[in-house]
Amino acid sequence: MCGIVGYAGPQAKAPSSRPVDVALQGLARLEYRGYDSAGVAVIDDGSVRVTKRAGKLANLRAALEGDTETTGRVAIAHTRWATHGGPTDTNAHPHLGGREGEIAVVHNGIIENFAHLRAELEADGYLFASETDSEAAAHLVAREMETAGDLTEAMRRAAASLEGAFTLLAVHRDAPDTVVAARRNSPLVVGLGEGENFLGSDVAAFVDSTKEALEIGQDQVVTVTADDVRIIDFEGHEVTDAKRYTIEWDAAAAQKGGYPSFMAKEIHEQASAVADTLLGRLEDGALQLDEMDIDPSVLRSVDKIVVVACGTAANAGAVAKYAIEHWCRIPTEVELAHEFRYRDPVVTEKTLVVAISQSGETMDTLMAVRHAREQGAKVIAICNTRGSTIPRESDAALYLHVGPEIAVASTKAYLGQIAACYLLGLFLAQVRGNLYPDEIAALMGDLEQIPEQIQQVLDSSAQVEKLAQDMKDATSVLFLGRHVGYPTAMEGALKLKEIAYIHAEGFAAGELKHGPIALVEEGQPVFVIVPSPNGRHSLHSKVVSNIQEVRARGARTLVIAEEGDDAVLPYADEVIRVPATRTLFAALLTVIPLQIFSCELATAKGLDVDQPRNLAKSVTVE
């Protein structure tokens, strides 16, 4: 969840190049991750200087205002989302460690054995100031430094004693040009500059300074100076095969670009996001995916697919189930990743697991991936972030190309995930011979028309925006759908819960009579996603009947239907039109009005659309 920044550069000659300012700039680009305190540490003139404040980054900047003297060569910084101990100045990171405060440490994750370590360290004479698990790590590295005399070795020894998930960054007064970091089950990437190097929990921390990045593997320690980057594993062996890559987007992509919020901007980027995800996949009449390193014979032997994901990604996986089963005739299950490994799932070497995660660091999903591979299954990751943990630990990866998604509530990554799932389904159908090449080409042709249709929906958003503004005082909204409209209903409800903080539920429309219709009373807003009348006609007519059922009980019916579908008119209080497309592909269109509705309603309520309360962009602990 938290944001981490590390910097090592030359002796600062101007205020803008001071490590403290570079670190603050990095934190500003990581604000989207969600946090409730922030802090920075620098090594300056032989001492460790730490400044930290509860609340937003502006509070930290205010505390540093007027400080023009601090220079140095290195800095580490952190935005914290409180777990152990409340969001106070004292609990904020960095934490000082050692008998004289000679070291500063920042930490992402949770140290599971911190209580034991704290008791041991206190018995050894180390004084604790905070309630956090992280301070134990600071004192532990400091204690190891006393005997090792080398910060890299001290970090390696300390990391080997820790249990749980962590990324740790440390600076020490006796190593004024060095930042040392370690990672286990928590994200960390190196930015490679000229005469300066960076560390970050996300490439956004340094993308305006360099686009060259280096992956840090599981259970590794990295030592960074202005001119050098060295990596060892937790056993002390040198690592020489770290993967270097180029970041494909620039810093401008992480700016609002004139939109009132990142969420609004990202909603309006969805036409290009889907187009970029589809781009270049069809070569010489055959689908080609990214890092598909699984032998075709293995894919042909698959007898079950399990999609593991959380939140919005799980709704994308539910859409994938309809497509994969229809095209490939392979039984497909969709599992919440945090339930998957704890229920003793039936997984064999003939199971294909598809892990969906925008960040590639979702801890529940990562743990599900590891469990599946331990059982012999092959894993394909669908992810938006190159260099992240889940694709690196999977057998194959299919990357979205939607660019950085800053708002906590996912929009363009959701559409990218659905598009990628369609590509995966068609690729499997190609490999397994379920579809002829001309059938795949026809489906791809229709899929490639979707970005233009997305733009049409975005261009006609005024109706939905006004509807949201008029409904800003609503206290409950229901969503109904069938087929791919069901996960769309779930996603519409999730968006409204995430950013508007009002009761919202998504249901399979056929479940109405089995309980949920009891919620419908006079004036209850109900969105209904109607499938195409040109698909399975019985499905269309059944949903029209559902509209009648809720309206007869006083509901205000807000109907999303394709252009030309007049059968809904007698029963709809409001009809929101989307272009006609294949029933399976409608999930890329019908969700957009629901995204816009949530964004506009939350804005009308005066809420922070991009950083909703209690939520963070990347959930990196279970």
Side-chain angles (χ1 to χ4, degrees):
M1 292 183 184
C2 312
I4 273 184
V5 178
Y7 175 74
Q11 185 68 39
K13 296 180 180 179
S16 61
S17 67
R18 294 189 309 161
V20 64
D21 295 301
V22 175
L24 289 175
Q25 292 160 15
L27 287 187
R29 290 188 294 273
L30 295 176
E31 282 193 283
Y32 71 91
R33 296 174 73 92
Y35 68 103
D36 48 35
S37 62
V40 62
V42 297
I43 305 297
D44 182 59
D45 196 24
S47 65
V48 183
R49 298 190 182 185
V50 171
T51 307
K52 51 187 184 175
R53 291 292 184 273
K56 293 299 185 182
L57 192 56
N59 296 346
L60 178 61
R61 290 189 183 278
L64 290 165
E65 190 172 356
D67 174 13
T68 58
E69 302 300 321
T70 301
T71 55
R73 297 175 181 270
V74 298
I76 57 174
H78 188 268
T79 49
R80 174 180 185 253
W81 192 257
T83 53
H84 295 73
T88 65
D89 289 357
T90 302
N91 288 333
H93 296 218
H95 289 291
L96 289 172
R99 304 183 192 280
E100 300 177 355
E102 62 269 19
I103 192 171
V105 169
V106 297
H107 166 230
N108 277 0
I110 290 179
I111 296 171
E112 295 174 357
N113 61 333
F114 88 96
H116 167 76
L117 291 171
R118 178 167 181 152
E120 179 184 290
L121 288 158
E122 285 179 326
D124 231 0
Y126 291 90
L127 301 178
F128 282 72
S130 77
E131 303 167 85
T132 68
D133 57 333
S134 308
E135 191 177 2
H139 284 306
L140 185 61
V141 178
R143 187 175 70 176
E144 295 296 346
M145 183 69 172
E146 290 177 10
T147 56
D150 174 80
L151 188 56
T152 301
E153 177 61 15
M155 177 65 82
R156 187 194 70 80
R157 293 181 188 178
S161 301
L162 299 176
E163 298 174 6
F166 55 85
T167 293
L168 293 168
L169 269 64
V171 290
H172 195 285
R173 68 185 183 191
D174 294 339
D177 62 348
T178 302
V179 182
V180 175
R183 74 168 291 264
R184 170 181 287 167
N185 298 334
S186 186
L188 179 65
V189 64
V190 176
L192 302 171
E194 295 184 7
E196 57 182 0
N197 289 303
F198 306 81
L199 290 158
S201 48
D202 188 313
V203 296
F206 50 75
V207 70
D208 65 340
S209 298
T210 179
K211 291 188 178 182
E212 295 304 307
L214 191 69
E215 295 179 359
I216 302 301
Q218 177 78 339
D219 288 359
Q220 292 183 350
V221 175
V222 56
T223 303
V224 172
T225 65
D227 303 308
D228 190 31
V229 174
R230 293 180 291 114
I231 304 172
I232 60 173
D233 61 24
F234 281 8
E235 301 299 318
H237 304 124
E238 184 179 3
V239 175
T240 58
D241 59 350
K243 184 177 179 181
R244 182 169 176 161
Y245 64 98
T246 300
I247 302 163
E248 296 177 348
W249 50 275
D250 58 30
Q255 304 299 319
K256 290 181 183 176
Y259 287 92
S261 65
F262 280 112
M263 185 175 179
K265 173 177 179 278
E266 288 156 13
I267 288 171
H268 284 84
E269 289 176 336
Q270 290 182 115
S272 59
V274 172
D276 289 344
T277 297
L278 298 174
L279 187 66
R281 304 292 190 177
L282 203 59
E283 296 180 12
D284 299 324
L287 275 171
Q288 306 291 330
L289 303 187
D290 290 308
E291 298 176 3
M292 192 54 60
D293 297 328
I294 301 175
D295 191 272
S297 65
V298 175
L299 296 176
R300 284 192 285 270
S301 71
V302 166
D303 62 10
K304 181 175 74 172
I305 293 175
V306 181
V307 180
V308 293
C310 303
T312 286
N315 292 332
V319 175
K321 172 182 171 68
Y322 289 96
I324 292 171
E325 289 192 339
H326 179 66
W327 293 329
C328 304
R329 312 311 298 162
I330 308 173
T332 303
E333 303 170 4
V334 182
E335 295 264 11
L336 293 172
H338 40 80
E339 292 294 322
F340 174 70
R341 72 184 179 118
Y342 295 107
R343 66 166 188 81
D344 193 19
V346 179
V347 177
T348 72
E349 68 279 357
K350 290 189 176 182
T351 304
L352 178 66
V353 171
V354 179
I356 307 177
S357 168
Q358 187 279 140
S359 67
E361 303 291 349
T362 309
M363 185 55 62
D364 297 297
T365 307
L366 176 58
M367 293 297 103
V369 166
R370 289 176 178 168
H371 181 75
R373 296 194 75 194
E374 287 170 2
Q375 308 308 309
K378 294 295 184 183
V379 179
I380 296 176
I382 293 178
C383 182
N384 190 39
T385 309
R386 286 190 177 274
S388 56
T389 305
I390 290 173
R392 282 159 52 190
E393 295 199 15
S394 299
D395 298 286
L398 174 52
Y399 287 105
L400 318 182
H401 297 285
V402 304
E405 187 177 66
I406 306 302
V408 167
S410 180
T411 53
K412 67 176 181 177
Y414 176 67
L415 262 65
Q417 287 165 350
I418 293 174
C421 287
Y422 290 151
L423 290 171
L424 177 60
L426 291 172
F427 179 79
L428 291 173
Q430 171 183 281
V431 170
R432 296 166 64 92
N434 298 96
L435 295 175
Y436 291 111
D438 60 334
E439 293 177 302
I440 292 174
L443 286 161
M444 281 297 296
D446 289 349
L447 195 52
E448 288 167 351
Q449 298 302 310
I450 292 290
E452 182 180 341
Q453 294 176 319
I454 290 172
Q455 192 60 52
Q456 292 174 33
V457 178
L458 293 170
D459 290 343
S460 59
S461 63
Q463 174 193 8
V464 178
E465 291 170 1
K466 184 177 186 307
L467 181 65
Q469 291 158 8
D470 293 343
M471 290 177 60
K472 70 177 183 178
D473 295 324
T475 58
S476 175
V477 181
L478 304 182
F479 299 79
L480 302 177
R482 296 190 71 144
H483 198 260
V484 295
Y486 171 33
T488 300
M490 297 288 287
E491 178 62 13
L494 179 58
K495 284 290 152 289
L496 203 54
K497 284 183 259 194
E498 284 179 308
I499 63 170
Y501 317 147
I502 66 174
H503 173 259
E505 296 294 338
F507 298 106
E511 279 291 289
L512 263 179
K513 296 180 288 295
H514 300 280
I517 201 166
L519 293 169
V520 179
E521 57 187 8
E522 192 67 34
Q524 171 68 54
V526 181
F527 277 93
V528 186
I529 299 99
V530 182
S532 171
N534 300 315
R536 297 177 181 176
H537 186 68
S538 62
L539 195 60
H540 174 267
S541 62
K542 288 183 186 298
V543 176
V544 172
S545 295
N546 293 139
I547 303 172
Q548 296 176 60
E549 287 174 337
V550 295
R551 200 179 196 211
R553 289 158 176 82
R556 182 183 182 189
T557 52
L558 313 168
V559 175
I560 300 176
E562 74 174 36
E563 294 165 352
D565 182 0
D566 294 336
V568 302
L569 293 176
Y571 316 110
D573 292 303
E574 194 95 31
V575 179
I576 301 161
R577 297 294 188 184
V578 296
T581 188
R582 292 177 185 260
T583 299
L584 276 171
F585 294 164
L588 290 170
L589 301 176
T590 53
V591 74
I592 297 171
L594 304 182
Q595 296 170 337
I596 295 169
F597 175 79
S598 298
C599 186
E600 286 297 320
L601 191 148
T603 301
K605 289 168 71 74
L607 300 173
D608 187 338
V609 174
D610 292 330
Q611 295 182 35
R613 66 188 183 196
N614 303 330
L615 298 177
K617 184 64 180 172
S618 178
V619 182
T620 56
V621 294
E622 282 194 286

